[in-house]
Amino acid sequence: MSAVMDAVGALPPRTGDRVIQFREALREAMSEEMRNDERIFLLGEEVAQYKGAYKVSEGMLEEFGPKRIIDTPISENGFAGLAIGAAMYGLKPIVEFMSWSFSLVAADQILNNAPKMLYMSGGQWGCPAVFRGNDGAGGQLGSTHSWCVEALYANVPGLKMAIPSCPYDAKGLLVTAIRDPDPVFFLESERMLGDKAHVPEEQYAIPFGQAYKHREGDACTLVSFGRPVNFCLEAADELATDGIEVDVLDMRTIRPLDIDSIIESVKKTNRIVIVDQSWPFAGIASEVMAQVCERCFDWLDHPPVRVTTDDVPTPYSKVLEQAYLPNAGKIVKAVKGAL
Amino acid sequence: MPTTTTQTRAGNNRAKGLAAKLPDKTLHGWLRDLLLMREFELRTMAAYQQAKIGGFCHVYNGQEACALGTIRSVEPDDPVITAYRDHGHALARGMDPKFCMAEMFGKVTGCAKGKGGSMHMFDKPNWLFGGHGIVSAQTPVGAGLAFAARYEWEVLKKGLDGGKAKKKVCLCYLGDGALNQGALHEAMNLAGLLSIPVIYIVENNGYSMGTAIHRGTTMAKDLGRKAAAYGIEYLEFDGMDMMDVYDNFKPFADVLRDEQRPGFVNLKTYRYQGHSMSDPQKYREKDEVLTYQERDPIVTLSDYLLNERESLTDEQYKDMQKDVKAQVRAAVEYAEESPEPDLSELYSDVYVNREKNLSPLGPDVYVEGAGNALLEGN
């Protein structure tokens, strides 16, 4: 299956006049699914009366009422576990973590119970829940609040993980996440919630495991997911001024990972740079590199290159934090180094 | 918000209690169930010693009246969830002992296809949502089951299966060792706050592995204050006597079901065996075990039926014991003779919607030359 270049099948066009914020795209996905399926409910800290700590759920309490939009106390392990029980019973919970950083105190529930229940019960009970919230650094929140959990959590079989990079994908991927019968970890970014772009009004579901190719080029394959996809696009613009055209692949989901599209691109470009906003050690970038080496080693004209955050706890200082994160400049340098 | 009352009831006068009013057939059935649970564990221990059963294994001898008395007080489709000392709950819920034994033998005919083991008994037809291995991890999940049952009745207004909605309670069991895990306190706070009809049943056998309760738990003699802190109704009573458990628990559960709010029960009980099969039990005196064995739930109920109620004859009782022994022997034979899981089961039940490329390896993504070819040669 090759990467999606344009609207395929039932997917509406990515361009148009209806411009909304990333957070509104998320809200549309949830609200429309909730209108169609009464088994779905949203719970988390400040999701109801406060209208969402980041205003993602604004207006949902008024529409769906307090039985379906549920404020919880600050007890992630408790309410994540509650959602897992409800999902086993047959409901479809959406859990909002104010930040994925806070999900660490719910690790036993979300890692030991959600993804393993189907297996441990011999297929009797799964966990059709969505866990969503902000992931990643960039807001000067210091080490404890800046987690990128993708590498840590994607390690666990039984869960799926989606990481949208733009409002269009945010809506389409969240719809798929809600409809999926397996536990889905949905990683948003507080830095992107205000991003505006065209989002179709209609409800659409973007299939998991299909990368989106934002740009076409044959000099190098640039692979990323989530917020850094935007840095890759900036870098691609800059590289183009030097006459270097690159494939920019947005993975959209990490589990499943559309390795086929990556391999197809690498067989064309013979070079790959992977951009990952988490740490380098045993990260998603490492996983992509491993799979590329396993599957198309002989097609590579240069060792795979990764651009990640530095291998240190996230600093508070704005200067240090910016230095720590991936950015377009680092990506340009990495691509040029791989040519 | 629920009102909170703290109450302690002494053992009832057995002949005047609710259980005594039940038909002979029901009480004889209870006795048979208790015998089955005991015999099953004796066979489990033997099989474990023969290395037929692997991993951790925690037996239920002595505590049988806790699970049976509470489970017989509720409806067969009320959700039940428990910790890892779960064989008794599975049998009380109606699981065929052969599926329970086969699970421990790791056979594909086990209740979870041999993927769960002793600590993870799951039985969908009997509404048993597990056996859970991490201490107290089941307590928020139990709140979720009860939340969902209430949601079904209150929001969906019909059953998820399309049937009629009804008020349910969830029975969520825990050992006294689970009292000090944060998960329980978060779950109790949520249950109190959202008025969730979950009943936390502490099977208080006095030991968290080898640590006596007062060494690990504050206010161990007054657990009611913990429930009160979360606005949860509390009840404590002796868990060694089946009829006593029923007499105390049935009205308690009925009220909580009707009023859709949580409860917390402190069931005083005792485990005759060690924490797990590998426990040398150096932390307690033999006399302590013998003291409790004098109040054995099987002896108490059989005494009542044979001598006080006189509804059961010695001969009938002997037949019952013989019948139970045969059933458990057959369960062991079934487990022995059942096939091992096919290696393809390694990759089944990981996902409901198993899409392509969910995993870098496995039967549906295996590519020639890829490293770590797990299935190579199989």
Side-chain angles (χ1 to χ4, degrees), chain A residues 1 38-41 67-68 70-91 105 108-109 112-113 115 117-126 156-160 176 180-183 207-209 254-260 287 291 294-295, chain B residues 77 79 103 111-113 115-116 120 122-125 127-130 132 134 136-138 140-141 143-145 147-152 154-156 160 168 182-183 186-187 189-190 193-194 196 345-360 365 367 369-372:
Chain A
M1 182 72 209
E38 262 198 312
R39 294 173 302 168
I40 304 167
F41 65 98
K67 296 285 178 203
R68 297 182 69 198
I70 301 162
D71 275 330
T72 66
I74 302 171
S75 46
E76 283 84 1
N77 199 34
F79 68 75
L82 186 151
I84 290 163
M88 287 174 77
Y89 193 90
L91 300 184
V105 297
D108 180 50
Q109 290 297 337
N112 241 342
N113 278 346
M117 205 60 80
L118 185 72
Y119 200 78
M120 278 200 306
S121 70
Q124 295 182 79
W125 278 292
V156 183
L159 58 82
K160 296 179 180 179
T176 305
D180 197 276
D182 295 304
F208 281 1
I254 295 305
R255 264 193 195 259
L257 180 77
D258 184 5
I259 191 68
D260 303 344
E287 177 59 33
Q291 292 196 34
E294 283 171 341
R295 292 164 195 242
Chain B
D77 59 355
E103 182 61 30
C111 63
K113 299 187 195 171
K115 291 178 174 179
H120 307 109
F122 287 83
D123 188 359
K124 194 166 188 176
W127 293 78
L128 176 66
F129 288 77
H132 292 264
I134 301 290
S136 205
Q138 78 279 14
V141 179
L145 295 168
F147 171 91
R150 182 175 175 145
Y151 189 99
E152 188 181 32
E154 193 173 46
V155 177
L156 303 179
L160 283 160
K168 291 187 176 186
E186 295 193 19
N189 186 54
L190 284 164
L193 205 61
L194 301 174
I196 296 172
E345 289 291 352
L346 188 60
Y347 278 92
S348 66
D349 308 317
V350 182
Y351 293 96
V352 177
N353 175 20
R354 189 169 181 100
E355 299 166 281
K356 201 177 173 213
N357 289 333
L358 273 163
S359 170
V365 289
V367 285
N372 305 316

Side-chain angles (χ1 to χ4, degrees), chain B residues 56-76:
Chain B
F56 290 142
C57 187
H58 313 81
V59 294
Y60 201 56
N61 309 31
Q63 299 184 206
E64 293 91 345
C66 297
L68 194 68
T70 48
I71 284 171
R72 289 292 172 270
S73 299
V74 299
E75 300 297 321

Side-chain angles (χ1 to χ4, degrees), chain B residues 28-89:
Chain B
H28 296 177
W30 288 0
L31 181 59
R32 192 189 185 285
D33 290 338
L34 291 174
L35 288 168
L36 176 67
M37 291 158 88
R38 179 70 54 85
E39 179 68 15
F40 185 88
E41 295 294 50
L42 295 175
R43 285 282 185 162
T44 296
M45 289 160 67
Y48 192 88
Q49 275 147 3
Q50 293 165 6
K52 306 268 186 192
I53 296 172
F56 290 142
C57 187
H58 313 81
V59 294
Y60 201 56
N61 309 31
Q63 299 184 206
E64 293 91 345
C66 297
L68 194 68
T70 48
I71 284 171
R72 289 292 172 270
S73 299
V74 299
E75 300 297 321
D77 59 355
D78 282 322
V80 170
I81 184 166
T82 186
Y84 45 76
R85 196 178 303 284
D86 57 352
H87 317 156
H89 304 78

